[in-house]
Amino acid sequence: MACVLEAPLRMSVLSEVTASSRHYVDRLFDLDPQKVLQGVIDMKNAVIGNNKQKANLIVLGAVPRLLYLLQQETSSTELRTECAVVLGSLAMGTENNVKSLLDCHIIPALLQGLLSPDLKFIEACLRCLRTIFISPVTPEDLLYTGPDHQTILFNHGAVQNIAHLLVSTSYKVRMQALKCFSVLAFENPQVSMTLVNVSVDGELLPQIFVKMLQRDKPIEMQLTSAKCLTSMCRAGAIRTDDSCIVLKTLPCLVRMCSKERLLEERVEGAETLAYLIETDVELQRIASITDHLIVMLADYFKYPSSVSAITDIKRLDHDLKHAHELRQAAFKLYASLGANDEDIRKKIIETENMMDRIVNGLSESSIKVRLAAVRCLHSLSRSVQQLRTSFQDHAVWKPLMKVLQNAPNEILVVASSTLCNLLLEFSPSKEPILESGAIELLCSLTQSENLALRVNGIWALMNMAFQAEQKIKSDILRGLSTEQLFQLLSDSDVNVLMKTLGLLRNLLSTRPHIDHIMSTHGKQIMQAVTLILEGEHNIEVKEQTLCILANIADGTTAKELIMTNDDILQKIKYYMSHSNAKLQLAAMFCISNLIWNEEEGSQERQDKLRDMGIVDILHKLSQSSDPNLCDKAKTALQQYLA
């Protein structure tokens, strides 16, 4: 099959095709196998380091012929090996060269070559494959038939076959084996659990990894070993309090964050450490007091400084282009450090210009930096103290609202989670956020196809409605629309349902608000409550729904919507005798609010409920072994006696 070549390259190169290039290709078609072999060897020498010559030969059709010779059973092993070497050399040229090779279906041909008994030929095929797969233009799915690459390699014995290479006499071989394990184990419990029990020459792999962490080993080896141990720890194969994590891996990763290290080492060190400590409070505390890490990370934002010790101009140029990666890594690590501990959050925020740096990070051009900055902000927003002080002083809500206007989903999810925290009732940011059009924005999030965004949208509205004034509650209901409220109440995800019920409960609090909302939306809300109490839902969902009914029963005029609805009254009666105490208690709250003596019409309500058999149930419950139920029933019965 002929190779497909991109038109722009063909035009620019054709004019430069020389007679000598054509001569190389012609020799590949000679009838004498020796002359063909010599032609391939000469071609190999001609293309080394010569991109123009490589492009010429590709245009002249050398690749299909080389692949044909490589796959012929009649070709000598030497010829097949030389063909693989030349193809590997062509792949080392431009990205267009790699595209041309892929268009000629080079991958299957090289993979077939790996079945040969000849080691030199296998090595040449592997080198060529490696060069092609390192290129950004090569889709990785060309190598795999299924999605889970780690599992495919694992099932084909990768762990057993690679393990012994960790003790090879060659440093390069040891490093490649180590890198392979760090990729195999990443976020893969199956591989990680296996690695823990594999031994090489009587030594378990974790012990080998720990030896490779030592300070006298090359930095690349220390870092990659730390990544292996980190993945195994996160997968649960090694305990977080194991000495190899606390005393070896964590300190090694902190060392990688120091300014003596190269930029990429500092980035990888910080990101790996962030991943290691992300979910463990104790590791977060240990890391925060190791080698002044929190202060050390502040240097990530000052890079390269005017006094940088970089004398290598090339290196300086490289680092200037990649300085944003340092900022991203620092934000990620700060986010992990501050995930749980109030004191650590305080230390982070008190680090020089920290809030300004986060605010700047929210508007950086790099999407990865923006995401990491939002993550950091989200982590710090869990602090009640900081919400009241630093977040207010720096008006963090402004850039956050800007981020929420137009961002990809992965940023929106974290930014909307942060907004949920900024909308808690004690947060001073709540008012200005409301004034900046947050209700409309959050209502639109509840319609997202992305589950996390729906949850966050409704969660933020729930927080916003807590102890809010009536106007805000009305605005929320208007913004959501009855149709959307029903949509959320019939959402297949229990989180969305629970947060929507939480929103309704917060909307239906304080009597004037309850009466006002039920006068405008009563019919629809009662319909929704009925649907949920009849549906197949868990205890928590039904308990929350009964609590909403209890709130409605607390209204002055709203309680009539319950009293005139026999279906709902029967449901409350049913749940009073339910096997679950939480549901019984919630149903009792409804009854108590309906029969309370001091309220108008209480006598008629009491009579109707007595006729339904509610008093008999209350007598039974007053004998309950559950103290809460017993007390609640006795209090309710007193209303009848008063």
Side-chain angles (χ1 to χ4, degrees):
M1 179 193 162
C3 294
V4 181
L5 195 72
E6 294 199 337
L9 182 66
R10 180 179 283 151
M11 291 308 294
S12 62
V13 177
L14 267 177
S15 57
E16 295 162 7
V17 173
T18 59
S20 67
S21 298
R22 197 167 277 119
H23 161 69
Y24 286 119
V25 179
D26 290 345
R27 289 169 69 190
L28 300 180
F29 292 88
D30 202 292
L31 295 173
D32 182 346
Q34 262 324 102
K35 286 182 179 172
V36 174
L37 174 61
Q38 194 52 51
V40 175
I41 293 169
D42 291 346
M43 186 184 279
K44 173 180 74 175
N45 296 331
V47 295
I48 291 171
N50 188 337
N51 275 353
K52 193 182 286 184
Q53 187 69 282
K54 287 175 188 179
N56 287 350
L57 291 169
I58 289 172
V59 168
L60 288 166
V63 177
R65 184 62 183 170
L66 287 167
L67 283 171
Y68 173 79
L69 295 169
L70 180 130
Q71 293 176 89
Q72 282 308 299
E73 296 286 326
T74 52
S75 296
S76 68
T77 306
E78 191 181 357
L79 174 58
R80 295 171 79 190
T81 305
E82 291 295 347
C83 287
V85 171
V86 174
L87 288 165
S89 190
L90 294 177
M92 281 182 176
T94 63
E95 287 183 0
N96 275 322
N97 289 12
V98 177
K99 282 181 187 169
S100 301
L101 293 170
L102 292 172
D103 289 338
C104 291
H105 304 293
I106 188 170
I107 304 289
L110 292 170
L111 291 174
Q112 197 61 35
L114 301 181
L115 300 173
S116 161
D118 188 87
L119 281 178
K120 274 196 170 175
F121 177 51
I122 290 174
E123 188 183 341
C125 289
L126 282 172
R127 282 182 187 279
C128 187
L129 278 168
R130 182 173 181 272
T131 305
I132 290 169
F133 276 101
I134 283 172
S135 169
V137 299
T138 310
E140 61 179 29
D141 56 10
L142 288 175
L143 195 52
Y144 295 95
T145 47
D148 194 349
H149 305 169
Q150 291 167 311
T151 306
I152 292 167
L153 290 168
F154 176 78
N155 291 341
H156 284 78
V159 172
Q160 289 72 17
N161 286 311
I162 295 167
H164 70 97
L165 299 176
L166 286 170
V167 293
S168 163
T169 51
S170 159
Y171 171 75
K172 274 189 175 177
V173 171
R174 290 202 304 280
M175 258 328 293
Q176 292 309 323
L178 196 54
K179 282 179 181 172
C180 200
F181 279 135
S182 90
V183 175
L184 273 175
F186 183 65
E187 293 187 342
N188 193 316
Q190 185 188 21
V191 173
S192 295
M193 293 294 186
T194 305
L195 289 183
V196 174
N197 300 311
V198 172
S199 66
V200 181
D201 293 351
E203 204 168 14
L204 288 169
L205 280 195
Q207 295 168 320
I208 294 174
F209 293 150
V210 167
K211 278 186 179 172
M212 291 175 157
L213 278 179
Q214 289 165 358
R215 288 169 187 259
D216 61 343
K217 295 288 186 281
I219 295 297
E220 177 190 33
M221 182 174 269
Q222 290 184 46
L223 244 178
T224 315
S225 307
K227 283 173 84 170
C228 291
L229 289 161
T230 294
S231 291
M232 290 161 77
C233 178
R234 281 302 303 266
I238 300 176
R239 287 167 53 109
T240 53
D241 58 359
D242 191 298
S243 62
C244 77
I245 298 297
V246 178
L247 303 179
K248 302 289 182 185
T249 310
L250 188 148
C252 168
L253 291 169
V254 173
R255 281 202 305 277
M256 297 303 148
C257 298
S258 81
K259 56 178 154 195
E260 281 72 52
R261 301 266 55 88
L262 292 175
L263 177 139
E264 45 271 44
E265 292 162 359
R266 294 170 79 187
V267 169
E268 210 172 339
E271 292 195 338
T272 308
L273 183 55
Y275 179 55
L276 173 66
I277 68 173
E278 189 178 15
T279 56
D280 191 89
V281 188
E282 199 45 45
L283 287 181
Q284 288 157 12
R285 289 192 183 124
I286 295 166
S288 73
I289 54 169
T290 304
D291 291 353
H292 308 291
L293 177 64
I294 291 175
V295 179
M296 197 195 302
L297 283 178
D299 287 333
Y300 277 46
F301 297 96
K302 306 171 192 168
Y303 190 86
S305 66
S306 52
V307 292
S308 266
I310 302 177
T311 48
D312 180 348
I313 295 299
K314 249 187 176 174
R315 180 83 220 175
L316 183 61
D317 182 53
H318 166 273
D319 285 4
L320 281 167
K321 284 182 187 146
H322 294 271
H324 68 278
E325 292 174 20
L326 276 174
R327 296 193 290 280
Q328 176 197 334
F331 283 138
K332 273 188 185 173
L333 185 43
Y334 276 138
S336 285
L337 282 164
N340 294 289
D341 190 285
E342 193 64 32
D343 291 336
I344 298 175
R345 289 188 198 121
K346 191 167 181 290
K347 277 185 200 163
I348 292 171
I349 286 176
E350 285 169 359
T351 305
E352 53 179 318
N353 307 327
M354 192 60 209
M355 292 308 282
D356 291 335
R357 283 176 179 146
I358 294 174
V359 168
N360 292 339
L362 293 175
S363 57
E364 277 212 32
S365 57
S366 159
I367 186 168
K368 288 183 172 177
V369 178
R370 290 208 303 279
L371 178 59
V374 174
R375 282 214 172 111
C376 183
L377 191 65
H378 178 239
S379 183
L380 299 174
S381 73
R382 294 182 178 134
S383 160
V384 176
Q385 180 60 33
Q386 301 310 329
L387 283 175
R388 285 185 167 144
T389 52
S390 307
F391 275 57
Q392 187 59 10
D393 298 343
H394 291 82
V396 168
W397 63 270
K398 282 184 186 169
L400 187 66
M401 287 299 285
K402 201 172 163 193
V403 166
L404 281 160
Q405 301 303 330
N406 183 22
N409 276 0
E410 56 180 341
I411 288 184
L412 273 181
V413 168
V414 192
S416 52
S417 284
T418 312
L419 195 65
C420 288
N421 292 342
L422 265 68
L423 286 167
L424 291 164
E425 87 279 7
F426 51 74
S427 165
S429 309
K430 187 173 179 176
E431 283 303 312
I433 290 173
L434 275 166
E435 287 160 18
S436 68
I439 292 178
E440 191 184 340
L441 173 84
L442 294 170
C443 289
S444 71
L445 287 185
T446 67
Q447 296 173 28
S448 170
E449 286 184 10
N450 181 298
L451 172 62
L453 287 178
R454 285 205 305 283
V455 170
N456 287 348
I458 201 73
W459 195 341
L461 288 169
M462 181 185 91
N463 287 351
M464 193 184 272
F466 184 73
Q467 293 183 353
E469 54 195 62
Q470 192 172 302
K471 182 189 178 305
I472 292 169
K473 291 181 177 181
S474 299
D475 287 349
I476 290 173
L477 274 170
R478 206 172 12 259
L480 262 186
S481 81
T482 315
E483 191 186 343
Q484 179 57 12
L485 197 61
F486 268 98
Q487 197 73 42
L488 292 163
L489 288 170
S490 55
D491 199 288
S492 58
D493 184 80
V494 72
N495 271 328
V496 174
L497 179 53
M498 281 297 281
K499 294 291 178 275
T500 310
L501 291 171
L503 168 66
L504 268 178
R505 194 171 165 182
N506 286 348
L507 290 171
L508 294 166
S509 61
T510 72
R511 277 186 186 166
H513 296 181
I514 295 169
D515 291 333
H516 175 75
I517 288 170
M518 292 306 287
S519 70
T520 54
H521 294 80
K523 189 179 165 199
Q524 296 93 324
I525 289 173
M526 294 304 284
Q527 205 178 333
V529 164
T530 309
L531 276 174
I532 290 169
L533 290 178
E534 283 175 355
E536 292 291 320
H537 295 291
N538 65 29
I539 299 293
E540 284 71 25
V541 167
K542 296 208 168 181
E543 182 191 17
Q544 188 80 290
T545 309
L546 287 167
C547 288
I548 290 169
L549 271 181
N551 283 14
I552 295 169
D554 194 37
T556 306
T557 55
K559 52 168 58 86
E560 284 312 305
L561 285 162
I562 296 177
M563 290 308 300
T564 54
N565 188 327
D566 287 342
D567 186 22
I568 285 285
L569 287 173
Q570 286 299 334
K571 284 182 171 52
I572 294 172
K573 179 184 173 184
Y574 164 76
Y575 283 108
M576 283 176 77
S577 305
H578 197 275
S579 57
N580 185 281
K582 281 183 178 178
L583 296 182
Q584 287 179 284
L585 204 56
M588 299 261 283
F589 272 108
C590 297
I591 296 298
S592 293
N593 285 345
L594 291 172
I595 62 175
W596 206 252
N597 255 327
E598 293 151 26
E599 288 162 19
E600 200 180 325
S602 62
Q603 191 58 55
E604 291 87 341
R605 290 193 293 276
Q606 284 183 7
D607 293 345
K608 180 169 183 175
L609 292 170
R610 179 188 279 114
D611 295 345
M612 280 178 62
I614 295 293
V615 175
D616 298 337
I617 299 173
L618 287 174
H619 277 297
K620 251 188 226 160
L621 289 172
S622 67
Q623 309 299 314
S624 168
S625 56
D626 183 310
N628 287 330
L629 280 176
C630 177
D631 289 352
K632 200 75 191 155
K634 284 176 180 171
T635 308
L637 284 169
Q638 279 168 1
Q639 296 304 308
Y640 274 94
L641 301 170

